[in-house]
Amino acid sequence: MNKKKIIVSVVILLLTVAAVFFGISYTEDDVDKITEGIETVVNIIEDNMSTTEIPNLTQEDEQSLAVQEANVGKNQGFEQQGQVAYKGSSKTPRVSLGKYQGLTYYSQVDSRWAKHPYTIINDPNQDIANYGCGPTCAAMIVSSIKGTITPPEMRRPFC
């Protein structure tokens, strides 16, 4: 029996058990639609399965790839992104970091900063507790890798 038939059979069995348990009745049309939907999902999954196969490239594909690789070196914007990522930029905000403390967890609803504003439109309802998941996550990452920075310090250059 192939995978599709097994999956369809299991789902139909589960629906049957649910129908008996909860008193739900399915018409033949319902079962057909459900089966069709399951088969569609299984087909999508099968089409997107990962593989360890290495595809064979045609000579044209290889030439196109070589041109792309050559152009990467010529693309100044790409090079600048790399430099900013490793060296920083005069346009990026400078923040001071405390001592590295290891893995760090912050909660955006922590009473120390929950009510700090996180808004560019001066809306008093926009605070770290409700809208500060970005700077809170960023503060955890930076604190765990580089050195201590809190969510309010992380959001400061942007608000």
Side-chain angles (χ1 to χ4, degrees), residues 80-81 83-94:
Q80 287 174 340
Q81 277 183 328
Q83 289 173 359
V84 168
Y86 289 104
K87 298 178 185 173
S89 167
S90 60
K91 296 177 185 175
T92 57
R94 296 280 180 223

Side-chain angles (χ1 to χ4, degrees), residues 98-109:
K99 185 179 173 200
Y100 169 71
Q101 300 292 323
L103 292 178
T104 305
Y105 172 78
Y106 291 129
S107 171
Q108 66 192 75
V109 295

Side-chain angles (χ1 to χ4, degrees), residues 61-82:
D61 292 336
E62 288 182 13
Q63 288 172 345
S64 174
L65 187 58
V67 168
Q68 290 174 8
E69 288 172 351
N71 287 337
V72 166
K74 294 177 185 175
N75 185 343
Q76 203 170 13
F78 182 79
E79 229 174 89
Q80 287 174 340
Q81 277 183 328

Side-chain angles (χ1 to χ4, degrees), residues 83-159:
Q83 289 173 359
V84 168
Y86 289 104
K87 298 178 185 173
S89 167
S90 60
K91 296 177 185 175
T92 57
R94 296 280 180 223
V95 293
S96 59
L97 299 176
K99 185 179 173 200
Y100 169 71
Q101 300 292 323
L103 292 178
T104 305
Y105 172 78
Y106 291 129
S107 171
Q108 66 192 75
V109 295
D110 187 310
S111 61
R112 294 177 288 176
W113 48 71
K115 295 299 177 193
H116 287 225
Y118 185 60
T119 179
I120 59 171
I121 59 170
N122 295 324
D123 181 346
N125 296 320
Q126 292 181 340
D127 54 22
I128 290 180
N130 294 303
Y131 294 93
C133 55
T136 303
C137 291
M140 286 190 281
I141 293 167
V142 171
S143 294
S144 296
I145 296 171
K146 292 285 202 174
T148 305
I149 185 168
T150 63
E153 293 168 321
M154 183 60 75
R155 64 110 176 116
R156 190 172 300 134
F158 305 103
C159 291

